[in-house]
Amino acid sequence: MSAKTTYKWIGSSPVRPDGVDKVTGRANFGADHSEPGMIYGKVLRSPIAHGRIQSINLTPALQVPGVLAAICGDDFPDADAVQGMSSGESPADMRDIARNVMARDKVLYHGHPIAAVAAMSPEIADEALKHIQVTYEALPPVLNLDQAMAKDAPLLHEDQITRGLPKKPTQASNIAAVLNLKRGDLETGFSQADIIIEETYTTPTAHQGYIEPHAVIARCNEDGRAAIWCCTQGPFVVRSLSAQVLGWDMGRIKVTPSEIGGGFGGKTTIYLEPLAVKLAEKSGRPVKMVMSREDVFRATGPTSASRTHVKLGMNKAGKITAADVKLECEAGAFKGSPMQTACMTALTCYDLENFNITGYDVVVNKPKAAAYRAPGAPLTAFAVESAIDQAAKRLGLDPIDIRLNNAAKEGTVAPYGAKFPPIGLVETLQAAKAHPHYCAPLKPNQGRGIASGFWFNAGMQSSAAINLNENGTATVITASPDIGGSRASMALMTAETLGIPYADVNAIVADTEAAGYCDVTGGSRTTFATGRAVIMAAEKVIVSLRERAAALWELKPEQVEWRDGQAHPDSEASAGADIKPLSLAELALSAAKTGGPISAKASLTAQGAGGGFGTQICDVEVDPETGKTEIIRFTVIQDAGKAIHRAYVEGQLQGGAVQGIGWALNEEYIYDEKGCMQNASFLDYRMPVALDLPMIDTVIVEVPNPNHPFGVRGVGETPIVPALAAVANAIDSAVDARMTDLPINPPKLLKQLSTA
Amino acid sequence: MSKQHITTTLNGEPTEFLCDTRQTLLDTLRNELRLTGTKEGCATGDCGACTVLLDGKATCSCLVLGVEAEGKDIQTIEGVAHEGELHPLQTAFLNNAALQCGVCTPGIIVAAKALLETHPNPTEKEVRYWLSGNLCRCTGYDKIIHAVMDAASAMRGEQP
């Protein structure tokens, strides 16, 4: 595959196919669907963070007038019988998922589902929850890394043996897994260093913060088949996970993805879906379940709190001689924090001879962590990119030069073992250095920070189908939910490949029975992997079109060429003959006479996603009287490989950076000593609002990915990775305060300024 | 509990409905009138996804009871496009790629409409201030602000 440099449609920014529906309120999101006879389900959630369930009595709830069904853990197959790992970007233990969606013997966090009811109205369902009788044996909650890893700590899971150690332990532990990556010799490396930076950095539990709460409608038919409508990043994943939790053959379930109001990784798993199916089965009525915002905070997402210890050795020339990174990561109630990817990405921007990275996956009595945009990478990037900034300051070196000195490039072997194909980190650093932002003057109390970041990007499985309509337009069908404009990307790639106008292509997202298998919209994979399936399908359509033209011209298909949306006889066949080219529209119109409707489908496991690197420049102004930090200028520079829809690529860069800014400055879960979240609302969990931000400038660097026909790399996740350190580095530059504990909110910064 | 009979003007048309006294205007719009373009993001007045115009004033419909709409004029996202024509704000949101997931978009367009009806020539800062009650988690607001400024310019009759 080669990357062509001039395109008719690729790289433009047309209006998305679903645009009008979304600006008129017509688009149907998760909670917008209704079914005739529908009733409403609600979940009873644990009021304590850690405890053993002694008894559950649903009968009083069932006696409330208008209540049609009530369920608890007993209504599902034994969780121990649910084996194996889920598919998807962040594989999870199915037994854990089964116990997370409905508690069995223990409750493991405040908000853990313990029972559910379905009733004629949401108000009746809420009333019925009050009548469910539950008795608990309360256990001491384990709420942070130190408590969880303490000797004699209360155990969340009495059968959890730490994995990843050279010798399998015999005692159970709250440490679920340990990972180590290393190369070279640390001692030698540190002995070559002129300076050593050693620091511990912490990040709080943070939520994806999608505006649309989780919502599902489930219906069970008399023939044993069920239909689910829900907002999800992956309808096939919902089908598979729900079937396993229910103990059903997945062929009984059809999942229709609604429009999705944000996900950022948080909608790659299931919460309500099997509960709604079970309530629908028991009541004989379609059941709608919609989470409150409080439920979303208490029981979905979030991403892990973390503590990263970094020891960095550097020589006077600004070359890293050794790096030792130790990461401890809260998984929440079940194993599976993004510790592994946090370790794998920690030092990946740099070409290092000596390093050691160790990670710990630690369970605590908080909600089970779910994927959040580049899961884990921002945690270690905050630490490592802060340390590099401290080194640059100590040595008096330019923070971009110091990164260029060590930057990974084509041929560098990443800490996790992969040898890089062409990558664009150096190009983003050079673009940052050349950007007018980098040399713009600063005023007192203003400062500038630089940071870089990496995300792998994913490939995984995708399918696509293309149907030509009899008027020469095309419909592209995939099951990749459109979370940020992917229908437009699919339509652009189809138009470019077939050589027809973008306006002649419609792209739709279909259900699990109408479309071929697609993994989740996640891992920044959709434009790359589903895009490749779309291009493959379009190429098959072209094969058909050449055959049809050949039949009309009485030539062989190999004598027909496809150019600019038209079939042309090759030079030999056209010599001396007056053959007019046939357009796609003409061939589509005559399809009935040449073999019938023209359509094609393609599926693949996409390899070679191509890593995404980015560099960000952040300017802040700190108010020394209040400790408030204002972002006054921000530039996001990223290698997109090739931007298919330019404006939506810019949008990913801007949105990702702003999530990182929120995490750096304000966002955190605040718990009381009993493990109850104290700020489970958008008022108190403070995400950035329009007034908090300046315009976010973007620079798209394009180092083509050789594994995509147009050169695409994923772009969605990388932009959140550098932002946390870019903000912290800017604050240090402004007021000489090295902040190592996020979020850097006004009281914390004021305290630091007053003690300095 | 018996339902109340409410008479309003909804998107320019006289509209009557029955609602439970406990129901918010948001629930009434979505569940009784099946106008699901108005979204629920929090139900506590913090995200602005449920913004409607109540007698012309941008209002979180989750903070108003359905019965409080008696005699009032309600405008929702469904009434923003008129006689088959998109409002300049809607066109500007499409042309600026000012939405990603799109769930905050109805509330933001309705809130921005209220702004432009009273402030036809807002500064960037004014637009940011006005929209600070509307959370968007996808875009970082950049393209939203550009879209509102573009729509304001188009509504003033300026050439793009």
Side-chain angles (χ1 to χ4, degrees):
Chain A
M1 288 185 267
S2 67
K4 211 165 71 167
T5 48
T6 55
Y7 298 111
K8 192 165 172 55
W9 300 107
I10 299 298
S12 62
S13 298
V15 171
R16 59 198 285 172
D18 53 325
V20 170
D21 282 351
K22 287 189 173 153
V23 298
T24 55
R26 206 171 288 132
N28 276 317
F29 289 82
D32 298 341
H33 184 75
S34 288
E35 283 285 297
M38 185 176 80
I39 60 172
Y40 300 87
K42 294 270 183 177
V43 177
L44 181 70
R45 297 179 180 278
S46 173
I48 59 173
H50 194 192
R52 216 174 295 283
I53 301 167
Q54 292 172 320
S55 68
I56 303 175
N57 183 6
L58 300 174
T59 307
L62 285 163
Q63 287 163 351
V64 174
V67 173
L68 298 185
I71 57 170
C72 65
D74 293 345
D75 291 285
F76 294 88
D78 184 354
D80 291 341
V82 185
Q83 297 291 333
M85 298 297 282
S86 68
S87 60
E89 192 195 5
S90 311
D93 188 319
M94 278 310 308
R95 179 171 171 263
D96 292 345
I97 290 177
R99 291 189 295 160
N100 189 47
V101 300
M102 185 60 87
R104 307 301 161 95
D105 52 334
K106 285 181 87 175
V107 288
L108 293 162
Y109 55 93
H110 187 281
H112 197 164
I114 180 153
V117 299
M120 297 299 291
S121 75
E123 291 81 12
I124 297 172
D126 275 329
E127 177 63 26
L129 293 181
K130 297 176 195 160
H131 295 264
I132 298 174
Q133 295 166 348
V134 188
T135 55
Y136 303 93
E137 175 200 349
L139 298 170
V142 174
L143 295 173
N144 57 47
L145 293 162
D146 288 332
Q147 288 176 11
M149 293 190 289
K151 217 172 149 90
D152 304 326
L155 293 172
L156 274 75
H157 308 285
E158 285 85 359
D159 59 351
Q160 179 169 280
I161 303 293
T162 308
R163 292 179 301 174
L165 290 172
K167 192 171 165 229
K168 190 177 174 184
T170 53
Q171 301 283 311
S173 165
N174 287 328
I175 302 174
V178 178
L179 176 75
N180 182 251
L181 302 168
K182 60 184 167 187
R183 180 187 301 159
D185 182 63
L186 278 187
E187 209 173 314
T188 311
F190 283 119
S191 72
Q192 293 162 353
D194 294 308
I195 62 158
I196 287 176
I197 303 291
E198 190 162 9
E199 194 82 71
T200 300
Y201 306 85
T202 50
T203 66
T205 308
H207 200 273
Q208 292 81 350
Y210 33 82
I211 305 300
E212 181 200 31
H214 298 258
V216 58
I217 294 93
R219 187 189 68 209
C220 287
N221 291 357
E222 291 72 6
D223 60 3
R225 293 168 64 83
I228 296 174
W229 293 261
C230 63
C231 51
T232 177
Q233 293 176 243
F236 284 94
V237 171
V238 170
R239 183 178 73 170
S240 160
L241 301 189
S242 300
Q244 290 179 73
V245 169
L246 290 160
W248 285 18
D249 178 330
M250 74 163 83
R252 290 169 62 187
I253 301 175
K254 173 172 117 172
V255 179
T256 305
S258 67
E259 296 303 328
I260 174 168
F264 314 106
K267 291 177 184 166
T268 57
T269 185
I270 56 167
Y271 297 102
L272 299 173
E273 289 82 356
L275 280 54
V277 171
K278 186 53 75 177
L279 288 168
E281 186 187 33
K282 282 209 155 192
S283 66
R285 303 280 286 267
V287 174
K288 178 186 273 195
M289 301 181 83
V290 182
M291 282 197 199
S292 67
R293 178 54 53 184
E294 187 178 336
D295 290 348
V296 173
F297 275 118
R298 291 196 194 286
T300 75
T303 194
S304 303
S306 71
R307 179 166 62 199
T308 306
H309 184 83
V310 178
K311 185 178 172 190
L312 195 68
M314 202 176 272
N315 67 21
K316 278 181 190 152
K319 182 83 188 155
I320 301 168
T321 60
D324 189 8
V325 177
K326 179 188 168 194
L327 164 74
E328 296 150 312
C329 213
E330 289 182 5
F334 299 93
K335 62 185 175 284
S337 71
M339 171 274 279
Q340 189 173 339
T341 41
C343 286
M344 289 165 77
T345 56
L347 298 167
T348 296
C349 285
Y350 306 108
D351 188 356
L352 303 180
E353 283 178 28
N354 308 299
F355 65 80
N356 184 71
I357 307 166
T358 310
Y360 297 83
D361 182 29
V362 183
V363 296
V364 295
N365 291 114
K366 293 181 182 176
K368 175 176 169 34
Y372 179 25
R373 207 168 198 154
L379 313 179
T380 42
F382 168 57
V384 170
E385 292 298 299
S386 293
I388 287 177
D389 200 66
Q390 286 163 267
K393 190 175 175 183
R394 182 98 68 88
L395 291 168
L397 294 173
D398 177 272
I400 292 181
D401 288 343
I402 210 168
R403 287 175 171 83
L404 281 167
N405 274 345
N406 297 285
K409 45 184 86 71
E410 183 175 359
T412 298
V413 178
Y416 57 89
K419 189 173 177 182
F420 281 125
I423 53 171
L425 175 62
V426 167
E427 287 78 357
T428 67
L429 286 162
Q430 287 167 340
K433 200 157 184 195
H435 198 284
H437 181 174
Y438 195 58
C439 55
L442 291 164
K443 294 178 187 156
N445 295 320
Q446 295 182 347
R448 179 165 298 142
I450 292 288
S452 296
F454 162 79
W455 183 247
F456 311 90
N457 299 326
M460 307 202 294
Q461 302 178 88
S462 281
S463 305
I466 297 178
N467 296 328
L468 293 192
N469 301 305
E470 55 269 44
N471 65 349
T473 60
T475 305
V476 189
I477 303 163
T478 76
S480 288
D482 181 350
I483 207 161
S486 60
R487 286 183 184 90
S489 304
M490 300 308 147
L492 282 165
M493 288 185 273
T494 303
E496 189 73 45
T497 307
L498 293 178
I500 60 176
Y502 169 80
D504 287 353
V505 184
N506 189 24
I508 67 160
V509 178
D511 65 64
T512 53
E513 293 182 359
Y517 186 93
C518 285
D519 274 314
V520 293
T521 291
S524 305
R525 61 175 288 279
T526 302
T527 305
F528 169 71
T530 306
R532 268 179 60 181
V534 165
I535 295 163
M536 284 165 65
E539 284 167 347
K540 288 185 185 176
V541 166
I542 292 171
V543 170
S544 288
L545 290 163
R546 288 170 51 224
E547 287 168 359
R548 304 304 177 94
L552 290 169
W553 289 331
E554 296 179 348
L555 295 172
K556 291 176 183 161
E558 54 270 28
Q559 293 176 290
V560 178
E561 294 168 357
W562 189 260
R563 293 196 307 271
D564 303 324
Q566 292 179 318
H568 301 259
D570 70 11
S571 54
E572 202 177 307
S574 61
D578 182 24
I579 307 178
K580 279 191 189 148
L582 282 166
S583 71
L584 183 144
E586 288 168 309
L587 289 164
L589 187 63
S590 61
K593 292 178 289 186
T594 58
I598 300 168
S599 64
K601 55 190 177 182
S603 294
L604 81 163
T605 297
Q607 307 283 352
F613 289 86
T615 297
Q616 299 180 356
I617 314 171
C618 170
D619 287 3
V620 299
E621 181 167 328
V622 175
D623 181 337
E625 285 184 25
T626 62
K628 184 173 188 291
T629 300
E630 189 173 357
I631 306 290
I632 53 173
R633 189 170 180 182
F634 204 102
T635 303
V636 185
I637 302 149
Q638 194 172 313
D639 174 18
K642 179 72 199 172
I644 299 295
H645 188 293
R646 200 167 181 86
Y648 283 119
V649 170
E650 291 168 1
Q652 289 296 319
L653 271 49
Q654 293 164 332
V658 166
Q659 281 186 315
I661 289 169
W663 202 346
L665 292 179
N666 278 306
E667 296 178 32
E668 65 176 323
Y669 271 43
I670 298 165
Y671 282 92
D672 69 11
E673 72 283 0
K674 290 180 179 166
C676 175
M677 186 186 179
Q678 299 293 290
N679 60 331
S681 74
F682 275 146
L683 184 65
D684 298 317
Y685 183 93
R686 179 68 162 72
M687 307 201 306
V689 303
L691 199 56
D692 295 334
L693 298 161
M695 293 298 185
I696 309 292
D697 201 1
T698 59
V699 178
I700 299 171
V701 170
E702 293 183 327
V703 178
N705 174 8
N707 297 309
H708 186 280
F710 299 124
V712 166
R713 295 172 195 275
V715 296
E717 286 164 295
T718 302
I720 198 174
V721 181
L724 288 63
V727 172
N729 293 344
I731 290 171
D732 182 58
S733 148
V735 289
D736 198 24
R738 174 52 56 184
M739 301 302 288
T740 58
D741 175 40
L742 298 186
I744 311 170
N745 55 33
K748 216 182 272 180
L749 183 52
L750 198 59
K751 192 175 168 197
Q752 175 89 5
L753 292 173
S754 65
T755 55
Chain B
M1 204 174 294
S2 68
K3 290 192 171 182
Q4 302 288 306
H5 176 253
I6 305 298
T7 305
T8 64
T9 305
L10 178 57
N11 295 327
E13 292 175 4
T15 304
E16 297 170 53
F17 56 84
L18 294 176
C19 75
D20 188 309
T21 51
R22 292 171 296 184
Q23 274 182 313
T24 63
L25 177 58
L26 173 62
D27 290 337
T28 309
L29 289 169
R30 291 180 54 82
N31 300 336
E32 306 299 326
L33 296 162
R34 299 285 178 207
L35 291 176
T36 56
T38 305
K39 304 302 177 190
E40 177 177 317
C42 68
T44 50
D46 299 318
C47 78
C50 67
T51 304
V52 300
L53 301 188
L54 204 55
D55 284 345
K57 192 168 172 237
T59 304
C60 285
S61 59
C62 71
L63 296 182
V64 178
L65 291 171
V67 293
E68 290 181 272
E70 174 64 36
K72 295 232 166 42
D73 180 89
I74 309 166
Q75 288 182 59
T76 69
I77 185 66
E78 286 88 352
V80 174
H82 192 60
E83 292 179 349
E85 294 268 334
L86 293 178
H87 187 278
L89 273 163
Q90 293 170 314
T91 305
F93 269 65
L94 293 177
N95 291 339
N96 281 278
L99 56 140
Q100 286 179 30
C101 81
V103 81
C104 70
T105 309
I108 292 187
I109 287 178
V110 170
K113 184 167 178 275
L115 169 69
L116 298 188
E117 281 168 3
T118 49
H119 299 77
N121 195 6
T123 63
E124 180 195 330
K125 190 104 179 168
E126 284 169 335
V127 176
R128 287 186 180 279
Y129 184 84
W130 187 271
L131 293 181
S132 281
N134 292 80
L135 291 174
C136 168
R137 190 60 157 173
C138 295
T139 65
Y141 303 100
D142 184 295
K143 294 183 190 302
I144 291 173
I145 307 299
H146 280 297
V148 175
M149 304 287 282
D150 280 5
S153 160
M155 289 166 73
R156 292 192 304 269
E158 293 165 14
Q159 296 299 316

